[in-house]
Amino acid sequence: MAGQSFTGWLAAFSGEMATLAERVRPSVVVVRGRRSGNSSGVIWRRDGLILTNHHVAPYDRAEVVLADGRSLAARAIGHAPEVDVAALRVDANDLPAAESGDSTHWNTADCNA
């Protein structure tokens, strides 16, 4: 932030976050659980692996709505309630999976988009 006002830094950061949101938008899905209502998840692999929160999809089945509007049946393939994570699988291929980065070079409290 050296040599840059906070307002300038905030505007740049906001622009970077908007760019990031546009990049991941195709990978974000709506997850409809049996009793939990609607929430979100992310396509983790192109072959239909979707990650969401356990409290969103605590049962064996859920419905997933893709960014393109398709609605797919999902089955739970793993639950880790102690860290609130659930893994779902849909029968689809060539899905727009989110890019994952390499966090091994990050430091605690880094802000990287």
Side-chain angles (χ1 to χ4, degrees):
M1 223 170 72
Q4 184 179 26
S5 71
F6 178 74
T7 304
W9 175 86
L10 189 58
F13 180 74
S14 178
E16 290 174 13
M17 294 309 295
T19 299
L20 176 63
E22 284 300 315
R23 198 169 74 215
V24 300
R25 179 175 292 173
S27 305
V28 176
V29 300
V30 173
V31 178
R32 294 182 178 149
R34 253 199 289 184
R35 289 187 224 159
S36 61
N38 294 345
S39 195
S40 62
V42 65
I43 300 170
W44 199 249
R45 289 196 344 213
R46 295 176 57 81
D47 65 356
L49 177 64
I50 296 171
L51 297 182
T52 190
N53 295 105
H54 171 73
H55 73 271
V56 171
Y59 305 108
D60 292 340
R61 304 249 178 236
E63 178 187 5
V64 171
V65 181
L66 305 180
D68 65 10
R70 287 184 286 164
S71 180
L72 303 171
R75 65 187 183 286
I77 60 170
H79 291 280
E82 64 279 2
V83 290
D84 197 25
V85 174
L88 306 175
R89 171 76 65 191
V90 295
D91 291 323
N93 289 305
D94 296 323
L95 297 175
E99 275 184 54
S100 59
D102 178 3
S103 63
T104 59
H105 303 290
W106 288 7
N107 295 310
T108 302
D110 276 354
C111 185
N112 294 297

